[in-house]
Amino acid sequence: MSFSQTALLALASASLWYPALCKQVWPNARTDRLEWLLYEQLGGYASPGIAFFVHDCVGIGNETQGISFGAEWLRNAYHDMSTADTIAGTGGLDGSIIYELDRAENVGHAFMETRDSFSGLVTTRSSLADLYALGAVFAVGACSNGSMIIPLRAGRIDAREAGPSGVPEPQQDLATHTASFARQGFNATEMIELVACGHTIGGVHGIDFPEIVPFVPNDDPDDEHTSTFDTTTRFFENKVATEFISNTTKNPLVSGANVTTRSDDRIFNSDGRVTMRKLAQSNDYFASRCSTLLERMLNTVPKEVVLTEPIDYYPVKPRAAQVDINADGTMTFSGVIRVEDALLASPNTQVRLHFVPRNGSQCSDATPCSVTNGIAGNFEHANCVYTKCPATFSFFEYSLVVPSEQGASSFMVEIVNGGTGASVIHDNNGNGFPTGESLQPQYKLSTQETFLIPGPDNTFSSKQQLNLTVAVLNAEQFTNVTAIFYEHKIPGVNTGGWTTDSVELTLSQKVEGTNFTYYTTSYARMFNDAIGAHPFDLVATGPGVSVSNEFIDWNGFTSIM
Ligand SMILES: *[C@@H]1O[C@H](CO)[C@@H](O)[C@H](O)[C@H]1NC(C)=O
Ligand SMILES: *[C@@H]1O[C@H](CO)[C@@H](O)[C@H](O)[C@H]1NC(C)=O
Ligand SMILES: *[C@@H]1O[C@H](CO)[C@@H](O)[C@H](O)[C@H]1NC(C)=O
Ligand SMILES: *[C@@H]1O[C@H](CO)[C@@H](O)[C@H](O)[C@H]1NC(C)=O
Ligand SMILES: *[C@@H]1O[C@H](CO)[C@@H](O)[C@H](O)[C@H]1NC(C)=O
Ligand SMILES: *[C@@H]1O[C@H](CO)[C@@H](O)[C@H](O)[C@H]1NC(C)=O
Ligand SMILES: *[C@@H]1O[C@H](CO)[C@@H](O)[C@H](O)[C@H]1NC(C)=O
Ligand SMILES: *[C@@H]1O[C@H](CO)[C@@H](O)[C@H](O)[C@H]1NC(C)=O
Ligand SMILES: *[C@@H]1O[C@H](CO)[C@@H](O)[C@H](O)[C@H]1NC(C)=O
């Protein structure tokens, strides 16, 4: 957006004023949820902190027991993907592994643990398959100390049932493995590379594979009898190759006592060690081959799936926005602005919001914007689980009251450098950040309660009751105001798609002194899975007109996300 001279004069309080460049336009239904999970890994504003599971690669796994969550999340993604048939365009990373856990090819706790770690984060905008890809990205990032950040695309669709079997197993011969990797889209060289990339972290657990790593019972019930693939099991680097080439490897799939299960030995030697020698010679080469092949692995999806571009972060992103209609004919816009720390380098940098009135498309003399005070303090900080984080973020809370007749269709974010006073305007690529004022849940007028319902034999189940009030602007134009609720088809595991429940809201009352009307409804659901997994949509329709407000979080009625 380029500002006209009048806009510039009307807006500018600082001597320097220029728009910032940002490629992305907010909101983006396909990527915003994953952008949040990917870039606010730890310590952010309402971050689920899932990445903490893989901090220092092993994360909350107990290294002495040989459990590595980094290795689990990477292995989980490979096993889910590896039943793909890339010629037919079927299978791939589609979450089907949750239906395949009883197969011999998926032995071990890793897959159930990964499912249980991520299933609470499944929403209509974050499939389990996308979360599995996210987990693999976190794992490789954490295990490589931030030196390998695999680009993440969104849009994977969860399978509704088990797929064919076909995960490579260690007792299979080289011809079987070569054919299996070819089916997955990796040629014989890439098979060697991908196996080396997968086997630079973690190891083989004797508890799961006693035929490979002898399981000798001892006094420690937690001992999984793990034999690691290389001597630096918590680092994603080329030791798996250097130790192989120097013949010092303790990788049980290379030098284990059981010759039948030495699959890595057969694979690594399959081209006369040419590929393994290259990987051993340069860790940079190893990292670059692994990044390329692991990215391809994550992007192996059924042919009907269309993935997005790699998810980039927004330098400036609105969060937790609320629009409240007040009894005195005013309205309050409040929320949080997330700002990339690189934009806040100078101390006392301030953030100011310019709200464009409903009757204007930008700030001008004819439609002057209302401006918040400069917000200096920030109260949270989002970070990565690994060093070399692409961006860290701070958060700024705002609140502005305007006459409801004036309203606000959108806002722009001005960042005023604390040292020079120079201003940069972030205008969402020329669009402004929409407020969505015309159809808004009224958090202060809504309630959410959880009841225990007695069942047979002293059992209880929980019921969640949402009493929802929504403010609708110029409601005369609409014939239908509806809330659409989503429930998991398979609660608990949280996958298999969604059932939808459309509930028409009832006109309640016009709000005195404004053009807003309240609509209400009451909605109850059984509370058997994560409360945050059920964002709902609002849709208002009338002759030739339709307005919506999507992905409203249940949590918003208790703690605003
Ligand atoms: C890790 O495992 C060891 C050996 O089994 C045990 O003694 C220790 O308490 C465990 N530590 C944690 C933090 O679970
Ligand atoms: C596998 O593909 C790569 C890249 O296209 C190529 O360099 C390599 O020679 C191929 N290997 C085999 C065995 O075909
Ligand atoms: C070696 O592994 C194969 C394949 O899993 C198994 O059938 C065989 O019993 C194992 N041999 C020993 C000595 O454990
Ligand atoms: C490692 O073993 C291979 C195969 O037995 C042999 O060709 C090679 O010379 C050995 N390398 C070293 C460094 O000992
Ligand atoms: C990880 O990288 C950081 C620099 O980004 C470095 O200071 C630290 O020592 C590294 N840690 C390890 C274990 O290599
Ligand atoms: C209500 O809408 C009408 C028609 O757009 C407008 O003239 C009037 O100023 C509005 N009143 C308020 C209080 O917003
Ligand atoms: C737009 O609304 C603002 C604030 O309510 C008012 O000051 C201005 O006169 C209006 N402009 C036009 C062109 O209607
Ligand atoms: C929510 O609505 C239900 C049904 O109308 C009612 O019984 C209940 O008391 C309401 N809860 C609250 C907290 O208002
Ligand atoms: C109201 O709108 C919803 C969502 O757009 C739609 O599913 C429903 O059929 C509509 N109801 C009527 C009575 O038009």
Side-chain angles (χ1 to χ4, degrees):
M1 178 182 214
S2 57
F3 286 86
S4 70
Q5 189 66 19
T6 40
L8 208 150
L9 291 173
L11 277 167
S13 55
S15 51
L16 292 166
W17 175 272
Y18 53 97
L21 293 172
C22 172
K23 307 180 291 294
Q24 300 191 84
V25 175
W26 179 90
N28 183 323
R30 298 195 72 199
T31 54
D32 282 350
R33 175 78 174 188
L34 284 159
E35 193 263 7
W36 169 59
L37 292 168
L38 178 60
Y39 289 104
E40 295 177 42
Q41 294 175 17
L42 298 180
Y45 187 76
S47 163
I50 186 81
F52 186 72
F53 276 76
V54 293
H55 75 95
D56 291 340
C57 191
V58 295
I60 63 169
N62 186 332
E63 205 192 7
T64 58
Q65 294 170 23
I67 294 175
S68 162
F69 275 80
E72 285 194 359
W73 288 3
L74 187 58
R75 184 160 172 258
N76 180 74
Y78 177 71
H79 276 235
D80 189 28
M81 181 287 302
S82 64
T83 54
D85 181 337
T86 51
I87 305 279
T90 57
L93 199 52
D94 60 3
S96 66
I97 191 170
I98 65 160
Y99 305 106
E100 301 160 359
L101 296 180
D102 53 354
R103 294 179 182 172
E105 64 191 32
N106 292 326
V107 70
H109 311 301
F111 310 112
M112 205 178 300
E113 275 168 5
T114 308
R115 180 196 72 188
D116 293 345
S117 300
F118 285 100
S119 63
L121 294 174
V122 175
T123 66
T124 50
R125 294 185 174 186
S126 46
S127 65
L128 191 65
D130 274 345
L131 294 168
Y132 280 176
L134 176 80
V137 170
F138 283 161
V140 174
C143 299
S144 68
N145 194 21
S147 64
M148 291 170 63
I149 313 280
I150 299 172
L152 178 69
R153 295 170 190 261
R156 292 168 196 77
I157 297 172
D158 289 339
R160 305 278 171 102
E161 59 193 13
S165 53
V167 182
E169 294 183 82
Q171 78 282 2
Q172 292 167 338
D173 64 15
L174 181 63
T176 305
H177 282 149
T178 308
S180 175
F181 278 85
R183 171 177 47 71
Q184 297 158 30
F186 299 96
N187 71 21
T189 314
E190 293 162 345
M191 167 179 71
I192 299 168
E193 294 170 323
L194 192 60
V195 170
C197 298
H199 290 172
T200 176
I201 53 177
V204 178
H205 302 257
I207 195 169
D208 301 324
F209 296 95
E211 74 282 11
I212 304 176
V213 177
F215 186 86
V216 187
N218 60 18
D219 293 342
D220 181 357
D222 294 330
D223 188 347
E224 299 219 336
H225 302 261
T226 301
S227 179
T228 61
F229 292 122
D230 67 20
T231 52
T232 53
T233 177
R234 49 160 88 205
F235 291 103
F236 198 110
E237 28 67 314
N238 67 346
K239 278 269 161 53
V240 63
T242 59
E243 292 172 4
F244 175 78
I245 291 299
S246 66
N247 298 333
T248 56
T249 184
K250 297 271 182 355
N251 177 346
L253 300 180
V254 173
S255 56
N258 192 336
V259 175
T260 310
T261 56
R262 286 184 183 171
S263 51
D264 282 8
D265 192 49
R266 290 186 288 273
I267 289 170
F268 293 168
N269 277 306
S270 62
D271 66 349
R273 300 194 161 197
V274 171
T275 300
M276 287 305 278
R277 217 170 280 121
K278 276 199 205 160
L279 297 175
Q281 268 158 14
S282 157
N283 192 49
D284 287 346
Y285 180 73
F286 178 82
S288 104
R289 291 305 297 151
C290 291
S291 292
T292 301
L293 296 177
L294 291 173
E295 183 177 2
R296 195 200 296 171
M297 168 181 110
L298 299 183
N299 294 341
T300 300
V301 290
K303 60 176 182 293
E304 60 274 16
V305 173
V306 180
L307 298 176
T308 66
E309 288 299 300
I311 302 171
D312 199 359
Y313 62 87
Y314 295 100
V316 170
K317 186 186 188 188
R319 291 283 303 277
Q322 280 194 64
V323 180
D324 292 306
I325 314 305
N326 305 318
D328 64 357
T330 64
M331 55 198 295
T332 305
F333 293 88
S334 60
V336 173
I337 300 296
R338 188 194 78 186
V339 181
E340 181 188 3
D341 283 328
L343 304 176
L344 304 168
S346 155
N348 302 320
T349 290
Q350 296 202 338
V351 170
R352 258 195 218 129
L353 273 57
H354 299 255
F355 281 86
V356 181
R358 194 176 299 137
N359 66 1
S361 59
Q362 59 178 47
C363 312
S364 67
D365 283 343
T367 54
C369 281
S370 293
V371 187
T372 63
N373 292 325
I375 319 162
N378 58 70
F379 57 95
E380 282 291 358
H381 197 249
N383 219 319
C384 292
V385 72
Y386 33 75
T387 57
K388 307 184 191 79
C389 198
T392 62
F393 301 95
S394 296
F395 298 82
F396 297 81
E397 266 182 349
Y398 66 88
S399 179
L400 182 74
V401 178
V402 303
S404 102
E405 187 161 18
Q406 175 182 330
S409 49
S410 67
F411 63 85
M412 288 168 289
V413 179
E414 177 188 13
I415 299 178
V416 189
N417 184 298
T420 64
S423 267
V424 177
I425 278 283
H426 295 265
D427 65 1
N428 198 26
N429 215 12
N431 299 279
F433 296 98
T435 62
E437 62 166 355
S438 44
L439 185 60
Q440 283 287 335
Q442 297 299 290
Y443 292 91
K444 286 173 186 149
L445 302 177
S446 304
T447 60
Q448 182 182 261
E449 295 171 290
T450 303
F451 300 100
L452 284 180
I453 307 200
D457 302 328
N458 291 326
T459 56
F460 287 91
S461 54
S462 306
K463 197 174 105 172
Q464 234 170 49
Q465 166 103 31
L466 177 66
N467 290 2
L468 177 66
T469 298
V470 171
V472 181
L473 179 64
N474 300 332
E476 321 74 65
Q477 61 188 320
F478 303 116
T479 48
N480 177 351
V481 179
T482 294
I484 303 169
F485 297 95
Y486 299 85
E487 295 293 337
H488 291 292
K489 279 204 171 133
I490 305 178
V493 176
N494 293 357
T495 187
W498 301 85
T499 56
T500 58
D501 208 348
S502 296
V503 180
E504 236 184 284
L505 277 69
T506 312
L507 193 152
S508 164
Q509 66 180 93
K510 194 142 193 298
V511 189
E512 201 69 33
T514 77
N515 281 339
F516 285 94
T517 302
Y518 289 145
Y519 283 71
T520 58
T521 194
S522 208
Y523 180 73
R525 62 180 287 265
M526 298 315 285
F527 176 37
N528 48 17
D529 49 15
I531 194 169
H534 294 267
F536 60 92
D537 299 338
L538 293 171
V539 186
T541 51
V545 55
S546 171
V547 175
S548 65
N549 183 350
E550 292 175 0
F551 209 65
I552 299 164
D553 203 298
W554 280 96
N555 285 343
F557 293 91
T558 45
S559 62
I560 305 298
M561 196 197 72

